[in-house]
Amino acid sequence: MLAKRIQPLASQAKRLYVELMFQVMGRALQAVSEVDSEVQKEAQALPEGFLFEMMVMPDGSKLIVEYIGDGRFHYHGDSAPRPVDVSIKFKHLTHAFLVLSFQEKTSVAFANDRMLVDGDVSYAVRMTRVLNRLESFILPRIVAERAVKEYPADLHLPEKLISAAQIYLKIATHFVQTVRA
Amino acid sequence: MSNTYYEFFCPVKVIAGKAALEHIPYELSGLAAKRPMIVTDKGVRAAGLLDPVIAACEESGLEIVTIYDDVPPDSSTTVVRDIAGVYRKEKCDSIIAIGGGSAIDTGKAVNILVSEGGNDIAKYTGAGVLKRPLKPFLVVPTTAGTGSEVTSIAVITDEKKGVKLPFTSSYLLPNAAVIDPRMTLTLPPHITAATAMDAMTHAVESFTCMAKNPLSDAYAAAAIKKVSRSLLQVMDNSKDSDARLELAQASTMAGIAFSNSMVGLVHSLGHATGAICHLPHGLCMSLFLPYVLEYNLETIREPLGELLLHLEGPEIYAATPASRRAEASISALRKLRDALYKRCQLPRTLKETGKVTEDQLDQIAEMALDDGSIMFNPKEVTLKDARAVLQRAWA
């Protein structure tokens, strides 16, 4: 009886958590592209105006970023100005929650068929590398190791701390700007 | 490395063995098909491989309405549109694809157009676009390697845009795959070797990459055992129809395995090398397999060690200490490559191919990094790592 009452609340909590994480990740993608030269190098292979989406099927939370050139991403929130080029779709809210709460690595989620790629797979692979790089920066190593296939051996603490601080500052600023707007 | 969740799907009826072709009329009648079209290439026709299929159908009173035998090695959207036109003109109601990967992929793409309508196959590119079953479709492979008869993907080149269009849907799978040893008997030695190594690589990567699962493992292990036991027999006696059948079955089993558990870095490097240097896919697989296994070694030590049983048999497996089995599996594959080099000069290094230059390795590494299969490689691969593997495979 109690479990039945709790279930909708748990489901709602998962939904809110996934939505919040998408908002953080979207802003963090924009921020990391302003901070990290490796991410900028990865992004430069994308066509300008390229729209990338991560979403929960069938019509759940989503994040949309656009490559605006010069290695930079722009976060569009959850609405795209035109049809997206590549979409990574979680088949269910629970699958998104598993990945975004770092209980399942992104690569494992792909292997477990939790997600679908709609669009050019090579761009999806590139965006996954960018996401991995982002997670390695902004998460404590012990958590990042649960999120990425392999924690980058060449990412040392001073670089990580400085970059993470810059990214978090930019995320916070973006959140404040959004609230003010 | 075992997977806590997996999916496995293969609804293709496999019809394998002696006189398998003679089952085609019965299978088509079971699908209410009376006017089949054959899709194939000129090489298959010239080798006389259509004759037993046509004879098998005629003996059962089934007329092959038309034959399209001009499928090129890299099939295109124009070819698919033309074949669909012939199909409609001749009022066909089913397709029999006979050949290697290209003819089979073309058959799958034609089936989309003739079932869904229209002339623009590009409209159906991507995953999950098809929502209903297509026309009756049978596949008769004439190589033992690609496994295309049991995979739900087709790749067709859009020659106007210069891109390869992928089509993915379980509806692309044929109703039946007909594996008859007569169809691979005339395969030349170097193609036999390269395509068998393609099947071997499908199975080994399926068994060692991230999406491995108990069901695909069973198919992969059985395929590895069959290739290990039969490939050199066929190389020594190309008319050994029993060993040919073993290879053909191994190819299908490896196809079932990898279409349910995906492949890894060998394929990423192979796709890139094939695109840049125009080397055959099977040869690329044979070239990179041991070097990639060495790269992945510490991540895949346990499953790779298990494979020694299927590669070398129980005596050698039992005599090898558990801690050395993974290395022994790689040695077994190197030994097989050496034996193939001795028999048909199948290159073992990029340099031996004579078609790759060392200054192309950077470009290959960069392209490999964006290949979809790299997602399923058990070890993360950086540009530097890919370049290092290529360097080891160079000479």
Side-chain angles (χ1 to χ4, degrees):
Chain A
M1 189 68 184
L2 187 64
K4 267 192 177 174
R5 282 190 182 171
I6 288 173
Q7 203 189 356
L9 289 174
S11 174
Q12 184 61 15
K14 269 198 287 194
R15 205 175 299 278
L16 287 172
Y17 177 83
V18 168
E19 203 171 309
L20 178 68
M21 284 304 287
F22 273 163
Q23 288 183 21
V24 172
M25 279 173 65
R27 289 177 169 90
L29 275 170
Q30 181 175 318
V32 76
S33 73
E34 292 164 6
V35 168
D36 183 48
S37 60
E38 282 291 315
V39 166
Q40 287 167 359
K41 217 164 84 185
E42 291 282 9
Q44 275 159 2
L46 301 168
E48 230 172 280
F50 169 86
L51 281 173
F52 172 75
E53 172 190 74
M54 276 182 96
M55 59 100 64
V56 179
M57 290 174 79
D59 194 23
S61 310
K62 57 178 73 165
L63 80 82
I64 290 149
V65 292
E66 178 178 358
Y67 175 59
I68 53 172
D70 205 20
R72 306 289 172 89
F73 290 114
H74 173 73
Y75 174 54
H76 277 289
D78 61 1
S79 61
R82 55 186 176 279
V84 297
D85 297 288
V86 168
S87 178
I88 294 181
K89 301 171 193 281
F90 288 99
K91 288 181 181 172
H92 193 275
L93 175 69
T94 300
H95 303 148
F97 183 75
L98 282 172
V99 171
L100 298 174
S101 59
F102 317 111
Q103 296 176 61
E104 194 164 89
K105 293 174 195 282
T106 312
S107 53
V108 173
F110 268 116
N112 285 357
D113 281 309
R114 312 288 202 197
M115 303 189 276
L116 300 173
V117 173
D118 197 354
D120 190 322
V121 175
S122 66
Y123 290 147
V125 173
R126 192 167 279 271
M127 288 306 296
T128 307
R129 279 203 299 274
V130 170
L131 285 166
N132 285 345
R133 179 92 182 154
L134 169 67
E135 287 173 332
S136 302
F137 272 129
I138 64 171
L139 299 172
R141 181 170 181 154
I142 195 165
V143 181
E145 280 171 345
R146 295 170 63 95
V148 300
K149 203 190 275 182
E150 213 168 279
Y151 189 81
D154 57 353
L155 182 56
H156 304 296
L157 195 60
E159 184 196 355
K160 181 183 166 101
L161 286 179
I162 294 166
S163 301
Q166 287 176 309
I167 294 167
Y168 276 119
L169 189 63
K170 282 175 184 288
I171 294 172
T173 311
H174 198 280
F175 260 117
V176 171
Q177 283 170 349
T178 311
V179 171
R180 279 189 183 160
Chain B
M1 270 258 299
S2 71
N3 220 338
T4 52
Y5 169 89
Y6 68 89
E7 294 178 7
F8 187 93
F9 182 69
C10 182
V12 180
K13 180 171 182 178
V14 176
I15 297 164
K18 286 176 182 157
L21 294 175
E22 280 68 17
H23 285 254
I24 290 175
Y26 173 78
E27 290 304 322
L28 285 176
S29 72
L31 296 162
K34 291 174 183 153
R35 295 180 62 79
M37 170 190 208
I38 288 179
V39 175
T40 187
D41 61 58
K42 291 232 182 300
V44 168
R45 190 164 212 176
L49 297 178
L50 297 190
D51 302 341
V53 180
I54 295 167
C57 291
E58 281 176 356
E59 281 163 10
S60 282
L62 180 73
E63 184 203 355
I64 301 290
V65 176
T66 184
I67 298 171
Y68 185 97
D69 67 356
D70 209 7
V71 174
D74 261 326
S75 194
S76 68
T77 47
T78 315
V79 171
V80 170
R81 190 195 57 206
D82 291 349
I83 302 174
V86 176
Y87 179 101
R88 289 175 186 135
K89 190 177 152 219
E90 298 293 341
K91 295 187 170 50
C92 299
D93 62 7
S94 51
I95 298 168
I96 306 173
I98 305 176
S102 182
I104 297 172
D105 278 11
T106 305
K108 289 174 181 174
V110 171
N111 204 11
I112 297 175
L113 276 191
V114 300
S115 304
E116 292 289 316
N119 284 315
D120 182 14
I121 189 67
K123 245 174 55 184
Y124 301 98
T125 189
V129 178
L130 302 174
K131 303 291 183 199
R132 56 185 175 188
L134 307 180
K135 302 276 185 196
F137 179 41
L138 264 55
V139 167
V140 186
T142 58
T143 62
T146 67
S148 303
E149 66 276 14
V150 283
T151 63
S152 52
I153 185 160
V155 179
I156 301 292
T157 302
D158 184 336
E159 67 267 74
K160 277 186 201 148
K161 291 184 184 161
V163 292
K164 293 200 170 196
L165 303 174
F167 302 84
T168 315
S169 167
S170 56
Y171 295 122
L172 292 181
L173 287 162
N175 299 93
V178 185
I179 319 290
D180 191 300
R182 283 173 285 180
M183 302 309 274
T184 53
L185 272 182
T186 55
L187 213 56
H190 65 283
I191 298 181
T192 301
T195 50
M197 287 306 285
D198 187 15
M200 175 68 98
T201 307
H202 287 153
V204 171
E205 287 216 291
S206 166
F207 201 86
T208 54
C209 285
M210 289 188 69
K212 76 195 251 73
N213 65 68
L215 296 179
S216 68
D217 280 358
Y219 281 98
I224 291 167
K225 188 173 168 183
K226 283 184 189 299
V227 177
S228 301
R229 286 191 177 175
S230 306
L231 177 54
L232 294 183
Q233 279 181 46
V234 170
M235 295 305 291
D236 291 335
N237 175 14
S238 66
K239 299 293 172 204
D240 183 339
S241 62
D242 289 340
R244 284 278 189 194
L245 179 61
E246 287 291 281
L247 284 186
Q249 289 178 98
S251 165
T252 301
M253 295 169 98
I256 294 171
F258 91 84
S259 63
N260 283 283
S261 61
M262 307 309 285
V263 283
L265 181 58
V266 183
H267 275 76
S268 315
L269 293 170
H271 292 152
T273 310
I276 293 167
C277 309
H278 309 290
L279 287 182
H281 178 72
L283 168 58
C284 293
M285 299 297 100
S286 182
L287 282 172
F288 293 126
L289 182 57
Y291 304 106
V292 169
L293 292 177
E294 280 166 2
Y295 172 73
N296 286 334
L297 184 59
E298 291 314 319
T299 337
I300 58 169
R301 184 168 279 284
E302 195 186 322
L304 187 57
E306 278 178 48
L307 288 185
L308 184 64
L309 176 65
H310 312 293
L311 285 162
E312 292 276 44
E315 287 83 12
I316 291 180
Y317 179 81
T320 309
S323 62
R324 300 291 306 158
R325 283 177 188 153
E327 284 87 349
S329 293
I330 299 175
S331 299
L333 289 165
R334 283 182 176 278
K335 205 169 72 185
L336 181 60
R337 292 186 340 144
D338 290 340
L340 294 174
Y341 182 77
K342 203 172 151 194
R343 284 165 174 83
C344 68
Q345 287 73 54
L346 188 74
R348 294 160 297 179
T349 62
L350 290 166
K351 199 175 177 185
E352 277 178 1
T353 64
K355 289 185 177 169
V356 184
T357 56
E358 206 169 357
D359 59 7
Q360 289 177 307
L361 301 190
D362 286 331
Q363 198 192 346
I364 297 172
E366 272 178 34
M367 189 185 264
L369 228 54
D370 284 344
D371 192 87
S373 54
I374 212 159
M375 297 284 290
F376 301 95
N377 195 65
K379 190 175 168 186
E380 190 66 88
V381 187
T382 64
L383 185 62
K384 209 170 124 195
D385 298 330
R387 184 64 176 75
V389 174
L390 285 165
Q391 194 60 50
R392 287 180 58 79
W394 168 249

